[in-house]
Amino acid sequence: MADQNQKEKSEVAILNPLNRTVFYSIEFPGYVNPGSVQKCVQRLGGLQNISDTFRRGLKIDLPLKDNDPFAHPAAGQTVATQNLVLRIVKRRRKQQIERDGGDDQMQEEGSSRGGNSTKQSEGVFTAEIVGISQKTMRFRSEHKDRGFTLLHLLQIPSIFNTGLI
């Protein structure tokens, strides 16, 4: 009986307090690189427009193509969520791969053996909860209209000018 109580106590998870920092998240419907974040913010109308949208719970339009009057913008809305925001860090430990003949051997960097060597990184991931995302801006579309460009119609006058018709 005492052994069973001891096992139950050891299986209980440790409680860690959550950081109460509040974040807002945007599910942007496209590729976002560190260099393209500013362009994504500009497409959404700037930081002031994004802030007003989150504060008032408004809908927002995202133009997917620049200067194209036939392309429909993606409609976004603010949704209440309770998501965790994580900081994930990958720590790298560099190693060398030694090639002697046909077999590969891994050896820590700084060893003194001959042969061809290349560096390989091995990662260790750590995750930390930094806050809670209380609102998320989502761009979900039920319609199947992906936009239509009229490039083939722009070529029609050139057909008439060739004298084929």
Side-chain angles (χ1 to χ4, degrees), residues 38-69:
Q38 194 65 25
K39 185 176 181 181
C40 296
V41 170
Q42 291 303 322
R43 283 187 182 254
L44 289 169
L47 288 176
Q48 186 63 40
N49 189 30
I50 294 171
S51 176
D52 290 343
T53 302
F54 277 120
R55 193 169 0 109
R56 297 181 187 163
L58 302 174
K59 293 186 178 185
I60 191 168
D61 287 335
L62 173 66
L64 297 176
K65 295 182 181 178
D66 291 332
N67 302 324
D68 188 359

Side-chain angles (χ1 to χ4, degrees), residues 65 68 70-71 146-154:
K65 295 182 181 178
D68 188 359
F70 299 108
R146 300 289 180 214
F148 180 71
T149 57
L150 302 173
L151 292 178
H152 66 283
L153 291 179
L154 296 175

Side-chain angles (χ1 to χ4, degrees), residues 66-84:
D66 291 332
N67 302 324
D68 188 359
F70 299 108
H72 297 283
Q77 63 181 6
T78 305
V79 180
T81 57
Q82 292 296 320
N83 298 329
L84 297 176

